[in-house]
Amino acid sequence: VSERQIDPAAVYELTAIGRFAAEHGWVPATSGNFSRRLDGGRILVTRSGAQKGSLQPSDLIEVGLSEPLPAGVSAETPLHVARYRNDAAIGAIVHIHSVAATVLSRLDAARGAIALEGFEMQKALDGFTTHESVVRLPIFANAQDTAQLAGRIEQSLKEHGGVPGYLLAGHGLYAWGATMDDARRHVEGLDFLLRCALEERRIHR
Ligand SMILES: [Zn+2]
């Protein structure tokens, strides 16, 4: 057993985002996962099956970005690794299974994206300075082969990136940022926008 201490700031940030997400009902039944970049081409990521509202240091696994995945990591870890490898500016990734993200990603899956516009909350996203902009949040088909899925997603984000997140149809929301605070603001802002869009559709239907 390695006695090497993991970065205490990273452990603190991951347990805190876990509590925050659980309080919001975003990670039911051990779903969701979170990660944080460490020095030396490594990340710290939540293990499979952990209760996200009460994460312990033993629920966090160190993963090398160019090494085979260790045992016990979440099946979705390749999606995290691919984002960090393709964007050096990313310091943290937050993935949730909220109701709004799950429902809207199914309804709009065939469109390949959901357009959010006219909302002041769009300004919560880095790079968006006015409600007059259009946030085009991509939607990808869900898949159990997450290594292959990660390849498809990264290719598409290279072509139409810009929004710091994406949806997996019938599954949930991924969002990232330079720091954990940025990633949290992005996931919170995007989920708020999705809830607004869902409410509007209920009313207009
Ligand atoms: Zn998931």
Side-chain angles (χ1 to χ4, degrees):
V1 177
S2 165
E3 292 298 321
R4 193 155 64 95
Q5 204 198 350
I6 25 180
D7 181 344
V11 173
Y12 175 81
E13 288 175 17
L14 287 165
T15 52
I17 190 68
R19 263 195 314 277
F20 185 80
E23 282 164 6
H24 284 74
W26 289 343
V27 286
T30 77
S31 64
N33 38 69
F34 319 115
S35 63
R36 160 62 149 82
R37 194 189 288 271
L38 304 172
D39 292 337
R42 306 181 72 73
I43 62 170
L44 193 61
V45 60
T46 46
R47 74 167 173 83
S48 178
Q51 283 289 352
K52 303 307 182 301
S54 54
L55 289 170
Q56 304 299 314
S58 57
D59 293 324
L60 306 175
I61 298 178
E62 232 184 282
V63 170
L65 292 175
S66 42
E67 292 166 20
L69 294 179
V73 293
S74 156
E76 293 182 50
T77 305
L79 300 175
H80 290 247
V81 168
R83 282 281 61 222
Y84 287 108
R85 285 176 60 121
N86 282 292
D87 189 345
I90 294 177
I93 299 176
V94 178
H95 166 54
I96 63 167
H97 289 210
S98 70
V99 171
T102 305
V103 172
L104 279 177
S105 63
R106 281 161 59 91
L107 292 178
D108 285 2
R111 290 202 175 97
I114 176 165
L116 303 156
E117 57 182 308
F119 296 103
E120 182 71 10
M121 184 59 79
Q122 288 164 222
K123 289 157 66 180
L125 308 177
D126 285 346
F128 291 84
T129 55
T130 164
H131 67 279
E132 290 170 331
S133 56
V134 180
V135 172
R136 278 184 62 80
L137 185 61
I139 306 173
F140 299 101
N142 197 23
Q144 301 303 318
D145 184 339
T146 51
Q148 204 182 72
L149 177 60
R152 272 202 314 249
I153 290 171
E154 294 303 324
Q155 190 54 43
S156 173
L157 290 179
K158 227 171 265 170
E159 286 154 20
H160 353 68
V163 177
Y166 62 77
L167 291 164
L168 292 178
H171 178 160
L173 171 67
Y174 270 82
W176 51 84
T179 65
M180 185 60 82
D181 280 349
D182 293 328
R184 185 177 104 160
R185 174 166 39 82
H186 289 159
V187 84
E188 196 176 13
L190 285 169
D191 190 64
F192 178 89
L193 291 167
L194 292 170
R195 278 188 288 142
C196 289
L198 186 55
E199 282 296 325
E200 286 185 344
R201 285 195 210 185
R202 279 206 193 99
I203 292 165
H204 294 308
R205 223 154 246 243

